[in-house]
Each structure stands twice: as structure tokens, then as C-alpha cells.
Amino acid sequence: MSYVEINTKRKKGKISKYIYGQFAEHLGRCIYEGLYVGEDSEIPNINGMRCDVVNALKELDIPVLRWPGGCFADDYHWRDGIGDKKDRPYMVNTNWGGVVENNHFGTHEYFELCRQLGCETYINGNVGSGTVQEMRDWIEYMTFDGNSPLANERRKNGHDEPFKVSFFGVGNENWGCGGCMTPEYYSDLYRRFQTFIRNYGENKIYKIACGANSDDTNWTETVLKKSGQFMDGISWHNYTFEDSWQNRGMSDDFDENGWYNNLVDVERMRKRLSEHIAIMDVCDPKGETDLIVDEWGNWYDCIPGTNPGFLYQQNTMRDAVTGMIILHMFHAANRRVKMANIAQMVNVLQAMVLTEGEKMTVTPTYHLFKMMKGHQDGELLDTFYDGKSYEVKGFSVPKISISASEKDGIVTISAANTRLDKDEELEISLDREFSEVSALVLTSENMCDCNTFDEPEKVKPIPLAAELCGDKLKLTIPKMSIAAITLK
Ligand code: AHR
């Protein structure tokens, strides 16, 4: 039995809804096939966006969608993706499988997708192979309301009103695929490029500088010191199994070691996150720059027989459990982490949705995001868990990862049982009485179970028994499961 105390009077800051953000890149079958099939497809679609996928994603209340990359962003020239589709030039997607990109999904299609999903926009600009002029023109094309050649071109292409750009990223991974730059060089470029990200009319753009990869705190420190005053946020990327690049293991075929190694990687990420925040606290003691974790997730070997450049993998309870721990990590770091974008939304890495032709299925990670919805913009609550943990490879892994928040008088609690061998009884004490409880659990018989096109509902949430007596709540979190509890 584990004990938990939740103090609803001790609020610990808002959990930004943007932590539940998504990312869609021109990579493999994320955009094409996964989200966009074109108006002439036999797959039911609205303006080219497949209805089954959009309808499923709408259930997640996605706050923001990052696009067009990723590495693709620093190879992307926005002018290739506007105007009549038959006139749009083709390009080679050199980063991802060397396939030919027809640019049928471009700026207008992205805004249409965000409109259908009901989410805000986060566009990543091209610093690596683009120019300042190209970037400034894109902003004017999208957001200027007046009478300028660029705004009129947007109108000619079918959009009279300016688009709303909420967030703009100045380059992606410019230490690697975005130009192999040093942090000093990038910082200077950042200062120059960001000058031309202008706010037209009502559109106020939140500027995000390219940040570090995993443990590279020197990048974070240098960029913040040299250019911190010109940015609203700085990004950070962290994938699991990054340290075993050559042999990450399969997403749907692993043993107990594969399960626990993933948990160790999550704890390594926790350490790295706190190191980055510590550096930020030194360089920016007033807390004026946010940390934007705009790529995170589990990265395994691709499914055999698929294009290795397409990063197509399956998704199991392991992804749901580790995903919940990482989201809890972001909750706990809410004073700095203001946005996060899991990689990626459809058919790539730790996806929400998988498709094959006209078929689709949602993944355990999709259920995780759906079950966690109640936390979006909730106030984090002081939560004490009696701290039972176990050691793997020198890291202390919690048996139960738990987080609680409150919004509009409703308390949401999420909990993950990280063990493969033992259910855990929880006794939760609250500091006020509640009269209604509802709980869901996501678990499966075997750790490698996943949803396939033939068995799309193998892993899905079911009700969880919970005993509420005023200010006491008792429930059992089954081994390798995640649970979400709502109290009113
Ligand atoms: O998400 C896949 C790739 O991972 C992105 O394109 C890149 O930014 C990162 O290295």
C-alpha cells in the first residue's frame, strides 16, 4: 500500500495547456497519407484532411501543432507550398528517406488542418538554408492585414483574412541538421533573424530560439547569454534511447530489460531537464525565457520492412507509462516548461494515430493524452507520495508516478504504475471532501500488446473501481498501467 496526500489549498502554478502540444513534420507518412490525402482521395476528407484521423485527434483538445519540421524545416522554402497545386515545384526530402515531396501540403493547408483541429499554430522557420528575407516575407504573407503585395498574394491564393501565427521557431536543431552551427554563430544569426519577425496588426508572435539537444547545456547557456533578451522561449529536444543510437530495440518486441531501460532513460531525461533549468536560472534569474520542449518521446528501431527514413514504430503500454511520467515531469517543472510537442502526431515515432491506406487505429499514447486532458491549464496541486522507488542501473525509478491538478473545482489525478510485477494499492488523503469520483485505467495483459489495424481496440481504457469516502480515496493501480481519476 502507498500513501498519497493531495493538498488542494497549496497550488503550485498553472500547468500550461501547451505542454500537451503536438508536432507534425514532412517525414514519412505523417503529413501525406496520415493527415492529408488530398481532395480527390477516396478516403473521406474535408479539404484534403482525412476525416477519421482529424475526428480522432479532435478528442484530444490539441492546444498547438508544430510544423513543418524538424529537420525538414531548415530545408523548406515556403513559396514552394503556396498557389495552384499543379504549379508547385517538387523537392527531394533529403533528411527523410530521399523521397520526392510535391508540396501539396503547404501554408494554407497547415492553417486549414489547425482550423479543423481547433488548435493554435507553431511554425518553425528556415535558418539553415533560408534567408532573412524569406522568413520575413513568410510572416508578412501570413499575418499582414493591409494592402501589400504579399498580403494580396495570400488573398489571391484564397485567404482574405490574415492567418494567426501564435508561435514561431527560428530554426531547428541548428547544431545538427539545421546547419551544424556553433552556439555562438547561431546566437548571432538568431538576433538578426528574429528582428524581422514582425507583429502585424493584432498578431503577436511568441519567438522561440533553437535550443539544445539532450545534455548540451553549453548550447543553452551560450544562446541565452548572448541573445536571451530577444526571445520568449528556447527549445530543448530529448528523445529516449538516444545514447544507444545503433540499437534502440523494437517498439513492440522487447523483454523486461527493454521495459526498465526505457524507465531509466526517462529518469536520465529528468536529470537533464533539471540541469537545463538550473542553467536557465543562472542566465535568466527573473525567469523571463520559457523552456519549450518541442520534440520529445520514445524513439525505437523502425518496424522491419518499412523505409528506415520514415521512423515508423508501434506503440505499447510502455509508451503510455513513460509518456505519463514525462508529462508529470513537465507539470513539476511548470515554472519553466511552458510548451512541449510530442514527436510526432501520426505514423512517426511515438504517434497518437497509425494509418495504413484507409485504415487507422489510435495508440496507447493517444489514450494517455485523452486521459490527461483534465490537466490542461489546471493548477498543479501539492502532492506528497510516500516515495516508494526501486533502483535500476543507478537510477531511482518511482513505483508510482502521480500528479494532481485542479480546474474549475474539478480535481484531476493521474498515476502510472511502472512495475511489471505488482499492482499497487493507493490510499489518497485530500484536504476537503468530494462527492463524486470517476476513474479510468489503461492496461493490457502483455507489455508488448499494441493496437493494430486488425485489432484496433486491444489496448483501450476501461473503468477503474475507486472508493471515495469524503476526503479519502482508495484504489488499486494495476501493474504496467496508467490511471486518470476525476473528483468533484
Ligand atoms: O522528430 C524526428 C527528428 O528528430 C526531427 O526532424 C529532428 O528535429 C530530430 O532530430
Side-chain angles (χ1 to χ4, degrees), residues 23 25 27 66 68-73 95-96 172-173 175 177 213 237 239 242 245 295-296 299 311 343-344 348-349:
F23 169 37
E25 180 170 9
L27 193 176
R66 177 176 183 241
C71 294
F72 183 79
N95 284 292
W96 304 119
N172 168 76
E173 299 198 347
W175 38 263
C177 64
N213 194 34
H237 290 179
Y239 289 98
E242 203 148 35
W245 193 259
E295 287 187 32
W296 68 274
W299 187 325
L311 310 185
Q344 298 192 8
V348 171
L349 300 176

Side-chain angles (χ1 to χ4, degrees), residues 9 12 99 144 148 221 292 318 322-323 328-329 371 397 423 470 484:
K9 291 193 194 76
K12 302 182 84 182
V99 293
F144 187 57
S148 81
E221 183 173 2
I292 306 296
R318 181 172 62 163
T322 50
H328 287 170
M329 203 186 286
M371 288 165 71
V397 177
D423 299 350

Side-chain angles (χ1 to χ4, degrees), residues 305-338:
T306 62
N307 186 330
F310 281 13
L311 310 185
Y312 181 68
Q313 64 188 42
Q314 251 296 356
N315 201 293
T316 65
M317 273 313 301
R318 181 172 62 163
D319 294 280
V321 168
T322 50
M324 183 178 272
I325 306 173
I326 293 172
L327 289 165
H328 287 170
M329 203 186 286
F330 297 154
H331 290 187
N334 63 353
R335 77 183 167 86
R336 274 291 177 191
V337 180
K338 301 294 179 185

Side-chain angles (χ1 to χ4, degrees), residues 62-266:
I62 293 173
V64 63
L65 175 63
R66 177 176 183 241
W67 171 85
C71 294
F72 183 79
D74 285 274
D75 238 355
Y76 183 63
H77 302 283
W78 66 273
R79 282 205 154 277
D80 296 347
I82 56 167
D84 199 329
K85 292 199 174 88
K86 71 175 176 3
D87 299 328
R88 297 188 192 178
Y90 285 24
M91 68 175 281
V92 184
N93 191 339
T94 40
N95 284 292
W96 304 119
V99 293
V100 172
E101 154 75 50
N102 63 15
N103 276 306
H104 283 191
F105 189 97
T107 303
H108 291 250
E109 290 74 22
Y110 166 68
F111 281 100
E112 169 61 10
L113 174 61
C114 292
R115 186 194 66 77
Q116 291 189 24
L117 292 173
C119 70
E120 288 183 55
T121 56
Y122 172 8
I123 292 187
N124 212 115
N126 179 348
V127 172
S129 70
T131 63
V132 178
Q133 179 170 9
E134 186 182 4
M135 193 181 276
R136 75 150 303 288
D137 285 355
W138 198 8
I139 307 278
E140 182 181 324
Y141 177 89
M142 292 185 287
T143 61
F144 187 57
D145 198 11
N147 181 13
S148 81
L150 282 160
N152 289 336
E153 193 177 356
R154 181 193 70 236
R155 293 189 182 100
K156 191 175 85 74
N157 288 332
H159 212 272
D160 208 23
E161 296 293 306
F163 293 117
K164 167 96 183 80
V165 177
S166 301
F167 303 90
F168 197 90
V170 182
N172 168 76
E173 299 198 347
N174 299 97
W175 38 263
C177 64
C180 290
M181 301 175 195
T182 62
E184 291 79 9
Y185 180 69
Y186 172 77
S187 300
D188 288 342
L189 275 189
Y190 175 80
R191 294 168 79 108
R192 180 166 171 231
F193 273 71
Q194 68 78 34
T195 311
F196 299 91
I197 299 173
R198 301 220 161 90
N199 291 321
Y200 293 106
E202 300 287 289
N203 195 82
K204 168 98 182 69
I205 297 181
Y206 178 107
K207 297 177 198 174
I208 301 173
C210 162
N213 194 34
S214 54
D215 58 356
D216 185 2
T217 47
N218 177 49
W219 181 282
T220 304
E221 183 173 2
T222 311
V223 175
L224 266 184
K225 277 188 179 155
K226 284 185 74 111
S227 321
Q229 72 268 41
F230 300 110
M231 62 189 70
D232 298 297
I234 184 166
S235 72
W236 178 54
H237 290 179
N238 192 98
Y239 289 98
T240 57
F241 295 114
E242 203 148 35
D243 300 327
S244 46
W245 193 259
Q246 298 302 329
N247 186 19
R248 298 159 179 272
M250 293 305 301
S251 50
D252 57 352
D253 185 12
F254 51 90
D255 58 13
E256 290 199 2
N257 274 331
W259 176 277
Y260 289 110
N261 282 345
N262 206 163
L263 290 166
V264 166
D265 245 17
V266 169

